[in-house]
Amino acid sequence: MDYLTTLLLLISIVSASIIRIFIRRFESVRLPPGPRPFPIIGNILELGINPHKSPTKLSKIYGPLMTLKLDSITTIVISSPQVAKQVLHKNGHVFSSRTIPHSVQALDHHRFSIVWLPPSPKWRNLRRVCATKVFSPQLLDSTQILRQQKVHDLLDFVKERCKKGEVIGFCERKMQKILVNVWAIGRDPTIWENPEMFMPERFLECEIDFKGHDFELIPFGTGKRICPGLPLAHRSMHLMVASLVHNFEWKLADGLVPENMNMEEQYGISIKRVQSLLVEAISIKHD
Ligand code: HEM
C-alpha cells in the first residue's frame, strides 16, 4: 500500500469515528434515559440470564420510557400502560413492522408469513382472510363440535396416562426497536393488587378487558398487529381449562406442597419453570 492510500484510509477511519461520535451525541440528546452502553455490545450484559425480567428492574431506575442498546440496535422499552398507549396510539403505523431474525429469513418466512410480513397489501389480505374466513364467528360456531372432540381426545389422553400411574409434566409458555414490556405492565402494583399472586378471581369484577383496548392487559397485543387468533383462543382456552378442571382431581406429584414449589422461571424460546410443574390427575370425576 503506497503512502497516499494509507493516508486516505486513515483519514476515512478518523472521519467515520468523528461522525459516529456526533451521531451518538445527537442521539443521546433525543433518546430516553437508560444505562450507559459499552462499545459494540451495548447493554447486552445488563440483561443477564433473565432478559425478560431485567428491563423491568432497569425501568425502576430509568423510568417507564427507557433506551437500551442491544447489540447495535437502539431499543426503546416502554414499561407503563399510559406511555404504551400514548406512543402506540399516535405512532402505531410507524411501529407495526417486526424485527426479523435471520433464522426466519433463511426459510423465506418473512416473505409469506402473516407474522413477519410488514404492513403491505399481501399482509392486509392475509389478515382479511383470517378475519372473514378462518376466525369469523360463523365459522367458529360451525366448528364447535370439532373443538369439543379434540378436548375429548385430550381428556382421554390424560385419563390413559393417569391410569398408567404416569406423572404429567406441564410447562408454561410464553422482544426490539420498540419493546412494550408486557411483563412489567402485568406486574405493576399500581394497577394490580398483589400482582405476583395467582388470583384469577381478580378479573371477575374487573373493567379491564383483554382484547387490546386496555393497555393494562394486552396478552394478545394491540392495534394493527393484534393476534388474529384471539376469537379462537378465547373459545378454546375456556373449554380446555374448564374440561381439565371439571373432569379430574389434581394434586402435586412427589408429595410436593405448594409452599415449597420453586416458581422461578428459566428463559428460553419459551419461558419454562426451573422446576417443571409435575401434577397428577388422580381421580376421574366423570367418564
Ligand atoms: C392464548 C392464546 C394466544 C395468545 C396469548 C396469543 C398472543 C399473540 C400476541 C401477543 C401476538 C403479537 C401481537 C402484536 O404484535 O401486537 C400474536 C400474533 C399472532 N397470533 Fe396469536 N395468540 C394466541 C393464539 C393464537 C392462535 C390460536 C392463532 C392461530 C391459530 C394465533 C395466530 C397469530 C398470528 C398469525 C399472529 C401474527 C399477526 C400479525 O403479525 O399480523 N394466535 N398472538
Side-chain angles (χ1 to χ4, degrees):
M1 220 185 307
D2 62 18
Y3 171 77
L4 191 66
T5 321
T6 315
L7 189 69
L8 282 172
L9 197 67
L10 270 174
I11 293 173
S12 53
I13 290 171
V14 171
S15 43
S17 306
I18 294 172
I19 291 169
R20 272 181 83 118
I21 289 167
F22 267 106
I23 291 175
R24 285 223 181 110
R25 286 255 158 95
F26 179 67
E27 272 187 350
S28 61
V29 172
R30 304 173 66 217
L31 289 170
R36 184 182 277 269
F38 283 113
I40 303 171
I41 59 168
N43 300 114
I44 291 256
L45 296 178
E46 316 257 359
L47 295 183
I49 54 165
N50 277 323
H52 60 300
K53 281 173 148 181
S54 322
T56 307
K57 250 194 219 157
L58 291 169
S59 74
K60 301 228 160 74
I61 306 169
Y62 297 101
L65 194 62
M66 166 179 78
T67 306
L68 287 182
K69 261 276 193 302
L70 301 180
D71 197 355
S72 57
I73 301 169
T74 303
T75 305
I76 310 294
V77 183
I78 304 177
S79 302
S80 93
Q82 296 83 352
V83 179
K85 193 170 186 169
Q86 258 177 26
V87 174
L88 295 179
H89 254 193
K90 280 201 193 128
N91 309 292
H93 57 288
V94 183
F95 303 121
S96 51
S97 289
R98 300 188 196 282
T99 305
I100 304 169
H102 293 301
S103 53
V104 164
Q105 292 179 33
L107 289 170
D108 270 355
H109 285 315
H110 63 301
R111 291 179 49 213
F112 305 108
S113 159
I114 184 172
V115 179
W116 302 107
L117 277 167
S120 57
K122 199 194 261 179
W123 172 78
R124 266 186 287 278
N125 201 25
L126 287 168
R127 298 266 329 180
R128 200 174 307 123
V129 170
C130 279
T132 57
K133 306 278 181 227
V134 187
F135 303 118
S136 72
Q138 293 87 338
L139 194 115
L140 290 176
D141 284 347
S142 70
T143 51
Q144 195 177 354
I145 302 284
L146 294 175
R147 287 192 297 280
Q148 284 172 354
Q149 185 55 49
K150 283 286 153 210
V151 173
H152 258 269
D153 294 349
L154 172 72
L155 295 178
D156 286 345
F157 169 78
V158 177
K159 280 171 188 168
E160 216 150 276
R161 296 275 297 262
C162 78
K163 266 184 210 136
K164 286 187 193 154
E166 286 177 41
V167 168
I168 301 152
F170 274 76
C171 296
E172 278 177 26
R173 293 214 142 224
K174 222 185 253 252
M175 95 175 161
Q176 205 130 9
K177 291 182 172 137
I178 287 276
L179 196 152
V180 179
N181 191 349
V182 178
W183 181 271
I185 295 174
R187 286 160 183 76
D188 186 335
T190 62
I191 305 168
W192 305 106
E193 207 183 315
N194 294 325
E196 296 283 346
M197 270 181 79
F198 178 65
M199 283 166 52
E201 66 274 18
R202 70 172 83 236
F203 297 107
L204 283 175
E205 303 287 317
C206 184
E207 302 266 291
I208 299 174
D209 181 74
F210 63 89
K211 294 186 181 161
H213 307 295
D214 298 322
F215 280 68
E216 291 86 351
L217 184 66
I218 41 173
F220 292 96
T222 177
K224 278 174 131 172
R225 296 213 83 124
I226 190 167
C227 174
L230 189 157
L232 172 62
H234 184 215
R235 288 172 189 234
S236 319
M237 289 291 286
H238 291 100
L239 180 64
M240 230 174 332
V241 176
S243 301
L244 287 168
V245 171
H246 182 67
N247 284 281
F248 302 97
E249 282 296 341
W250 295 88
K251 73 163 195 170
L252 291 167
D254 296 334
L256 194 69
V257 286
E259 294 74 34
N260 295 341
M261 275 173 64
N262 183 353
M263 298 298 285
E264 287 288 300
E265 69 278 6
Q266 191 177 31
Y267 185 78
I269 292 177
S270 65
I271 309 291
K272 294 195 296 193
R273 277 215 164 76
V274 169
Q275 175 190 34
S276 71
L277 173 57
L278 296 175
V279 287
E280 280 177 283
I282 46 168
S283 74
I284 301 158
K285 281 184 185 164
H286 307 282
D287 270 311

